[in-house]
Each structure stands twice: as C-alpha cells, then as structure tokens.
Amino acid sequence: MTTMLLIASLAVGGSALVLLARDERPAFRAATPVVFGGLVLWLWQVVCTGYGVPEVLLPPPSRIGAAIIGHLPTLGQDFQQTFLRAVIPGWLIGCASGLLAAIALDASPFLRRGVLPLSSLVSAMPIVGIAPIMVMWFSFDWQSKAAVVVVMTFFPMLVNAAAGIGQTGAMEADLMRSYGAGYARTLLKLRLPSALPFVFNALKLNATLALIGAIVAEFFGTPIVGMGFRISTEAARLNLDVVWAEIVMAALAGSLSFALLTLVERVVTFWHPSFR
Amino acid sequence: MGKVAPVLVVLVILTTLWYGAALAMNWDQAQTLADDDAGWTDVATAALTLERPLLPTPDQVVGEMIRGVFGYNVVSSRSLLFHAGVTAWAASLGFMVALIAGMTLAIGIVHIRTLDRALMPWLIVSQAVPVLAIAPMVVVVLGNIGLTGVTPKALIAGWLSFFPITTGMVKGLRSSDPMRRDLLRTYSATGTQVFMKLRWPDSMAFLFPAMKVAAPLALVGAIVAELPTGAQAGLGARLLTGSYYGHTPQIWAALFMAAILAMLAVAAVDGAQALLVRARGGRL
C-alpha cells in the first residue's frame, strides 16, 4: 500500500516537475522549486508513517510541525538567547571592526602587505575552535558566544573590505584629485562606495558564519537556553522532533537574514552592473 | 623579501601583544598563588609560566605542541599527531564523498533542466542555512543504529563541503565560451564530446577555488562532529577535554594543530592545481 502510494506520488510529482521545468513563464519557473520542496516533504511523510520509521531515527514533517507549534515559547526563548543576544551584536561588532581595520590598513601599505596574507590564512581556519577559550574568558552566557561571532566575522570582512577599497579605479582616483578632494573625501565619496559590493558579500557570508559560530559555541557550555544547547541536549535525549524544530528555526533565521541583506544590497548598490 | 618582511613585522607585533595580554590576563591568578613577599618580577615570571593560565603564552603553546607531537608514540592517545590524524582521516573521507557527490549532482544539474530548475534555488538557499547545526543529531541518530567512529564524522564533513563544490562545479561547467561551444557544434560534436573536451576542462578553473573553500569546511565538520558524543579521539575531543579540565595550553595546541591541518589541506589543493596546470602546459 505504502509502496504503491510512493510510486504513484513519485510518478505524479516527477512528471509535474518535468512539465513545469519546460515552461519558460516566470510564475512556472518560480513554482518548480516550491513543488520540488513539497514533493520531498510529502515523500518524507509517506515513508516515515507508511513504513513506521521510528521517531528516534527520523520524525515525519507533521511531527516536526507539531513540535514547532507545541514548543513555540521555548523556541522563542532560544531564538532570543542565540540570535538576538549573541548573533546580532557579535555580527555587528565583528563586521564593523573588520571594516574599520580595513580602512585603517588602507592608510599603511606596509602593514597591509603584512596583515592581509595572515588574515586570509586565518579566514580559512576552523575558527569555531576558539569557542572553549571564549567560554572561559567571557562566562557561560551569551557574551562568550558573541565573542566567538566577533572573531569569526572579523577576518572575512577585513579581507573583503580591503580588497574592495583597494580596487578603486585609477581613472576615478585621478578625477577626484582633479576636483581637489582630500583623503577623507575621496574615501567617503569614491573608495567606500566602490567597495560596497565586496562589503555586502562579506556581510552575507558572515550572516551564516555568525549563526554557526553562536550555535557551535553553545556546545561548549551555556546556561540552559539557546538553540545550540537545545539541539545538543534534545538530540542526546532522542527528542528529535524538537531538534528538527530548532533546525527549522535556525534555517529560517539564516535565510531570512540573507534575504534581508540581499534586499538592502539591491537598494544601496543599485548602480552595480549586476543589478542593472 | 618584499613580501616576507611585512608579514614578519606583523607577526612580531602580534607576538609582543600576545605576551602583554598574557601578562595582564594571568596577573591576578599569579598574584594569588605567589608568596606575600614576592616582588613584581616574581609575579610576572609566574604569570607567564602558570600551569592553567587564562591565556597561555606563545612559548607554552609551542611547547605543548612539540611535546604532543614528538613526546609520545604516534599511536598513543596522548600524542597530538594521533588526534590530528583521526580528525584528518574523517575530514578527507568526507571531502572525497563530497567531491564525488557534488560533481555528479553538478553534472546532472547542468544537463537535466528539471534538476536545474528544481534543485538550484535550494542549493543557493542552503548557503544561508547553518548546516553545521545538524551535526549533533546526525551523530546521535547514526550512533543509535550502530554507526559510530569515523562514519558520522565523515558524513558531516562531507555534507558541509558538498555545497561549495556543487555550486562551484555548476558555475564551472557553464563557464565555457559560447563561441567554442558553437565551434564544437559545427564539428557536430555529441553531448559527451562537448562535455569531455570543453565543459569538463573549463570547469576546473572553478572547481579548485571551490575545493579551497570546501577543504577547511570538511575539517570544521569533522571537529564539530566530535563534540556531541564526547568522542575519545580527535582534535574536537582534545578541545572538549581541555575545556572540561581548564587545561588551556591543550586547547590552544589543538587549535593550532587544526589551523596547520587546514593550511595543509589548502596547500594540497594548490599542489594538485599546480600539477594540473603543468599537465595542461601552463594554464588552468
């Protein structure tokens, strides 16, 4: 029975996808991934309930939905602890100081040639590993998580912003000089605006990194609230529906911040070729 | 010399700052431990040689690493090389899986329109999702059905490095010059021939940067996968026990080891790229 339902859904869903993908109208193009996502969820549900997959292995989507609604207050608290208290301040501080450091480095070519190779080296390192050190320095609470996020977001911003500031065209710089513009004005009117696409690139990259940093830092000790704490303890207690609910929350938080940043980027850097 | 000097100067500045910070942060602890009649030089010496300092000095960290690497037999669980090897093994297994799966999926996406339309948006969204958050659950669930040891770690490492490889490969397979594709069409080349002679060679310029992003991610995945179960071996386990017992030099040594592994991984990708460039006569 389940097998037949499975084959039928696969056949119907698959052919619907193939038909949708052939159509070039924008509405149909947008519908294809949605239908695909729905199909995956449906198959997941059918397999889980139909074959009686134990919930300690994989809870069906309906259970996860129920867990999201049932644990809404807890999820809200965890979201507040992890996202509002650790991710956002840490991301803001890390990105701001990375940007300031890039501007400061811009004034000294010697330091820039020393710092940038080291920074790109650090960017490629498993920085989440500093979490236990930060927990030791800044207490168990959100301060240590924010500190991890600051360190994780600082270097990508520094590297990207420095690259952005450094790539101002010589023609534009000459034009500014012919206007008699000083260092500050050139920086404000030409170099920073032209670095913005790079800065936004780092902001978006850092949004994901910040969430990862805060969640992983909570694996090393935390008060009894927070997304990372909930994920690790409920996984150990085999309450997988709650774990999945947290993961859905984290995914939503991540992709919504990403979408918001993309929107802001479009508005702020409307002049960039990729948006014209 | 023009490139090395600035880096060296910055490194010297950083090391000096580090010693200063170590002195400042460990001062209180050193003072409580010191005798009443100890002068400030004694306290300062003590602050730089504490057994469980808040911030170990660079020489303490390097000392701990040297002891960990050369002090014990490689198979001993006290050897840092042993733990690094455990993590590196899981990470490279996962990376291989991700490489094969990512390439396969990318080839599918480029050639099958349904896959492209249905999957590509999800792959892009997935870059904004903290995929690492699933690590504890995967480890616990796989442990439940009897899969422990290297498998869960490799799976998480692979899962993490899978996304950059897939998106990079899709971009690469589509990066071919349309003129050349047209030329191949005038030769009446088949789809397989276009793939083997044009798309695949062109994709390498995108695959290698993607691999440089993916390799450290695989390492992060392997390390984080060692956290939730309190694994006995691996750099993640070293970080965890170090933080339980407050043995800070051990944490820093594990961290620097992880950094060295990440550098080695990136260097290995660079090496493979250099080999390929040479085999192709000087261009990627």
Side-chain angles (χ1 to χ4, degrees):
Chain A
M1 180 61 203
T2 311
T3 318
M4 272 170 63
L5 185 57
L6 214 55
I7 293 171
S9 335
L10 262 178
V12 173
S15 38
L17 277 177
V18 171
L19 284 178
L20 273 176
R22 277 205 197 133
D23 208 304
E24 288 297 334
R25 275 171 288 181
F28 285 80
R29 290 194 69 151
T32 319
V34 179
V35 170
F36 177 75
L39 180 65
V40 169
L41 280 183
W42 170 248
L43 291 178
W44 179 352
Q45 177 79 35
V46 168
V47 168
C48 278
T49 48
Y51 293 115
V53 175
E55 274 191 20
V56 292
L57 277 187
L58 186 69
S62 58
R63 287 282 305 155
I64 298 167
I68 294 180
I69 294 165
H71 294 81
L72 213 48
T74 323
L75 292 177
Q77 278 172 8
D78 293 343
F79 179 78
Q80 190 184 356
Q81 170 80 10
T82 305
F83 197 78
L84 301 183
R85 290 211 183 116
V87 171
I88 290 187
W91 178 81
L92 281 175
I93 297 172
C95 291
S97 44
L99 187 59
L100 288 179
I103 295 173
L105 277 187
D106 181 54
S108 160
F110 183 81
L111 275 186
R112 188 171 62 226
R113 273 184 295 154
V115 171
L116 283 188
L118 288 175
S119 308
S120 24
L121 207 64
V122 176
S123 300
M125 277 174 192
I127 306 186
V128 273
I130 62 158
I133 297 163
M134 292 299 154
V135 169
M136 215 170 276
W137 288 359
F138 296 104
S139 84
F140 273 118
D141 213 344
W142 56 269
Q143 292 91 339
S144 60
K145 281 73 199 173
V148 174
V149 175
V150 168
V151 179
M152 277 183 85
T153 51
F154 175 81
F155 291 100
M157 178 53 98
L158 174 60
V159 173
N160 274 292
I165 295 175
Q167 59 102 53
T168 320
M171 292 275 276
E172 289 91 334
D174 283 346
L175 181 65
M176 290 302 279
R177 203 170 307 130
S178 73
Y179 289 161
Y183 171 77
R185 183 157 292 186
T186 313
L187 187 71
L188 217 59
K189 298 270 179 196
L190 170 67
R191 315 190 70 186
L192 281 184
S194 71
L196 270 181
F198 289 78
V199 171
F200 270 104
N201 215 357
L203 285 177
K204 288 193 282 188
L205 179 70
N206 279 344
T208 321
L209 280 181
L211 210 48
I212 289 178
I215 288 176
V216 172
E218 286 180 4
F219 297 162
F220 283 97
T222 163
I224 50 164
V225 62
M227 300 168 106
F229 165 79
R230 196 77 55 202
I231 287 173
S232 54
T233 46
E234 297 295 334
R237 292 167 61 194
L238 295 178
N239 288 333
L240 289 195
D241 50 346
V242 185
V243 177
W244 276 103
E246 286 287 353
I247 290 173
V248 170
M249 292 288 286
L252 273 180
S255 35
L256 286 182
S257 351
F258 199 87
L260 191 65
L261 283 169
T262 314
L263 206 67
V264 176
E265 182 185 20
R266 258 166 207 264
V267 174
V268 177
T269 62
F270 60 91
W271 44 268
H272 196 261
S274 57
F275 298 124
R276 273 193 312 215
Chain B
M1 199 54 210
K3 275 186 180 171
V4 181
V7 175
L8 282 182
V9 169
V10 170
L11 277 180
V12 168
I13 295 176
L14 284 182
T15 318
T16 321
L17 284 178
W18 188 343
Y19 272 108
L23 208 55
M25 291 179 69
N26 301 335
W27 189 267
D28 287 347
Q29 197 189 341
Q31 207 155 33
T32 7
L33 290 176
D35 303 326
D36 289 335
D37 57 344
W40 68 271
T41 40
D42 299 320
V43 180
T45 328
L48 296 180
T49 50
L50 288 171
E51 199 174 323
R52 288 173 187 192
L54 214 45
L55 175 61
T57 58
D59 58 86
Q60 279 179 310
V61 175
V62 172
E64 174 81 15
M65 285 186 76
I66 291 175
R67 212 172 325 125
V69 171
F70 300 108
Y72 307 101
N73 195 320
V74 181
V75 291
S76 145
S77 69
R78 302 179 71 176
S79 160
L80 194 54
L81 274 186
F82 166 74
H83 293 286
V86 169
T87 303
W89 171 235
S92 38
L93 268 185
F95 183 75
M96 287 303 154
V97 173
L99 199 59
I100 295 167
M103 281 180 172
T104 316
L105 191 64
I107 293 171
I109 284 177
V110 170
H111 288 97
I112 305 170
R113 201 204 317 216
T114 312
L115 269 187
D116 175 33
R117 292 277 164 84
L119 260 181
M120 214 40 212
W122 290 108
L123 277 175
I124 293 168
V125 169
S126 75
Q127 300 204 318
V129 171
V131 277
L132 204 56
I134 63 155
M137 187 181 54
V138 172
V139 172
V140 169
V141 166
L142 290 183
N144 241 0
I145 55 172
L147 279 174
T148 48
V150 77
T151 321
K153 288 197 273 178
L155 271 180
I156 289 162
W159 174 249
L160 227 58
S161 43
F162 164 75
F163 294 103
I165 288 180
T166 314
T167 45
M169 196 69 188
V170 168
K171 248 189 219 155
L173 287 173
R174 289 198 171 136
S175 68
S176 308
D177 187 351
M179 295 271 274
R180 293 187 179 175
R181 218 174 299 159
D182 286 346
L183 179 67
L184 280 182
R185 197 168 311 135
T186 65
Y187 291 163
S188 86
T190 62
T192 325
Q193 282 170 325
V194 173
F195 179 78
M196 293 306 293
K197 295 192 189 294
L198 186 67
R199 282 180 186 269
W200 177 262
D202 276 344
S203 71
M204 291 299 125
F206 286 78
L207 177 66
F208 278 93
M211 272 162 51
K212 262 183 243 179
V213 175
L217 278 181
L219 212 53
V220 172
I223 291 173
V224 171
E226 283 159 359
L227 300 177
T229 47
Q232 298 300 306
L235 291 177
R238 292 292 275 184
L239 286 177
L240 208 57
T241 50
S243 81
Y244 276 157
Y245 300 114
H247 190 50
T248 35
Q250 184 185 324
I251 302 180
W252 283 88
L255 206 55
F256 273 70
M257 203 61 192
I260 291 174
L261 282 186
M263 275 187 251
L264 286 180
V266 174
V269 175
D270 272 331
Q273 182 177 341
L275 280 182
L276 187 72
V277 166
R278 190 185 299 171
R280 286 183 174 187
R283 60 173 202 93
L284 190 64

